[in-house]
Amino acid sequence: MPVAVSGISNAVAIGSASSSQSTCAVLATGAVRCWGRNNDGQLGNNTTTDSLVPVSVTGIATATAVAASQSHACVTLTNGGARCWGRNNYGQLGNNTTTDSLVPVSVTGISTANGISAGGAHTCTTLTDKSVRCWGSNFWGELGNGSSDITSKVPVQVSGIATATTISSGFAHSCATLTAGGVRCWGINFEGELGNGTTTNASTPVNVTGIATATGVSGGYQHSCARLADGGARCWGHNYAGLLGNGTTADATTPVAVSSLTNVTKLSAGQNHTCALLSSGQARCWGYNASGQLGTGTSANSSVPVVVVGVCEAAPDPGFSDVSPGAYYYDSVAWLVRAGITSGTSPGHYSPSDGVSRAQMAVFLWRNAGEPVPAGPHNFTDVPTNSYYNSAVAWLVESGITGGTSPGKYSPNATVTRAQMAVFLHRNTCGVASS
């Protein structure tokens, strides 16, 4: 399950690639801290000593974004420049050398960068004019410029991209979202990670099939995922352990919908798992879980999204005159409103002391789970099949949350208070400790 990173309380961006054994964070001050493996100097602190806690990257005070890969890392700066550090055997630091560096070096010719992504041995950045530049290894066409050269020690322009909004790199491929909502990818395509219905590598960008409303993209080791304007997500490529999230383990050369996932605000594809942050502040992950990557408290793989225990972002004031900041249920009610589970009983009122029926409680829980369709009916005689809570109750039974109040009875009109309901939902979903 998730644990707090020591000494980090003001992070505004984080970077950790699909093949990375280190992680970096940009702080609100513009400084950068990294932790983990450091055999190639990828922590940027002028040593090759691994670190179990964050260490400061030397000489970085104005970072806006960070990308960490297997053996190198890069940042963009407020002045539009980019700096990289770590391994440089393919020129992935972009400073016109192949000399490793234990501290950040400036990327040649980059002065208007506004996004950056690090692959296995290549790096890409978006510029303010919405073009893309890449540098480093080009063995599989990772640089996207159609060249047969196997490396470039300085940035080169990616062909045919003039409206890029975001960029993300996998191990040996990269993808960009476009202002029109499409996605284009280039590089290795052994597992269909380019999403164009083939397994043919591409040294220039190809269109991802069927994606027209993308707002973000994330490149995993051998798969890719896109966040859509409607809050859904699509993934394609390698599907080991179900990392595409569609309930199967079959590879897909074109995008497939991630099951029961709505209101996605952020998406990140790892080596063999993928995670999403929802508008509720909740996180869900899917795929390989032998080391606890899914954050569920187990090591069981999942081919569909599962809730990460203990991860819920703080919610803003809910705006109810009858919910004071000092109330024990304040944070819980704020979270419920942000999650879209309730909007109160009337404008400006939550009515915390009012009762909530077990029927209403079932619907709240069901909505919080994404309104999954139950596989079959329940056996309660007091829950009409045409009732507004019928599907919710059937799902509760299926999920093992309730077996009813007595054989054949659910007691839908029995009550708990709305305050108690809010706290129960919040604790159950977010792992918030009782007080």
Side-chain angles (χ1 to χ4, degrees), residues 149-336:
D149 294 339
I150 61 171
T151 64
S152 178
K153 296 178 288 185
V154 295
V156 295
Q157 185 165 354
V158 175
S159 301
I161 301 284
T163 60
T165 55
T166 65
I167 185 77
S168 185
S169 300
F171 178 71
H173 77 288
S174 293
C175 297
T177 54
L178 309 180
T179 54
V183 178
R184 305 193 79 190
C185 300
W186 58 96
I188 198 168
N189 197 28
F190 283 4
E191 305 291 343
E193 51 263 63
L194 302 189
N196 67 334
T198 78
T199 54
T200 304
N201 301 336
S203 62
T204 57
V206 295
N207 291 320
V208 176
T209 302
I211 300 291
T213 60
T215 57
V217 68
S218 184
Y221 190 80
Q222 290 180 304
H223 77 294
S224 310
C225 294
R227 184 179 74 249
L228 306 183
D230 66 1
R234 301 287 188 275
C235 296
W236 56 96
H238 193 39
N239 198 22
Y240 175 69
L243 57 91
L244 299 188
N246 67 332
T248 78
T249 55
D251 294 350
T253 59
T254 58
V256 294
V258 179
S259 300
S260 302
L261 199 63
T262 59
N263 303 314
V264 176
T265 60
K266 295 179 182 178
L267 194 62
S268 182
Q271 182 167 359
N272 287 312
H273 76 293
T274 311
C275 293
L277 182 67
L278 309 186
S279 60
S280 64
Q282 191 180 49
R284 296 189 183 183
C285 298
W286 56 96
Y288 189 62
N289 195 34
S291 299
Q293 296 96 312
L294 305 189
T296 58
T298 76
S299 58
N301 301 338
S302 180
S303 61
V304 296
V306 291
V307 174
V308 177
V309 177
V311 176
C312 279
E313 290 186 335
D317 185 275
F320 296 129
S321 61
D322 55 357
V323 178
S324 64
Y328 76 91
Y329 48 85
Y330 174 83
D331 288 337
S332 301
V333 172
W335 174 79
L336 281 181

Side-chain angles (χ1 to χ4, degrees), residues 60-218:
I60 300 294
T62 60
T64 57
V66 64
S69 186
Q70 182 174 0
S71 56
H72 77 290
C74 299
V75 294
T76 54
L77 307 177
T78 54
N79 66 2
R83 305 189 80 188
C84 298
W85 58 94
R87 196 173 188 187
N88 198 29
N89 55 325
Y90 290 101
Q92 56 263 51
L93 302 190
N95 66 333
N96 203 26
T97 77
T98 53
T99 304
D100 296 349
S101 181
L102 304 182
V103 296
V105 294
S106 294
V107 178
T108 302
I110 298 296
S111 60
T112 59
N114 62 3
I116 199 157
S117 186
H122 73 289
T123 312
C124 294
T125 185
T126 52
L127 305 185
T128 55
D129 67 0
K130 299 189 183 303
S131 63
V132 177
R133 302 291 188 276
C134 296
W135 57 95
S137 172
N138 195 37
F139 192 79
W140 306 106
E142 300 99 303
L143 303 189
N145 67 336
S147 172
S148 59
D149 294 339
I150 61 171
T151 64
S152 178
K153 296 178 288 185
V154 295
V156 295
Q157 185 165 354
V158 175
S159 301
I161 301 284
T163 60
T165 55
T166 65
I167 185 77
S168 185
S169 300
F171 178 71
H173 77 288
S174 293
C175 297
T177 54
L178 309 180
T179 54
V183 178
R184 305 193 79 190
C185 300
W186 58 96
I188 198 168
N189 197 28
F190 283 4
E191 305 291 343
E193 51 263 63
L194 302 189
N196 67 334
T198 78
T199 54
T200 304
N201 301 336
S203 62
T204 57
V206 295
N207 291 320
V208 176
T209 302
I211 300 291
T213 60
T215 57
V217 68
S218 184

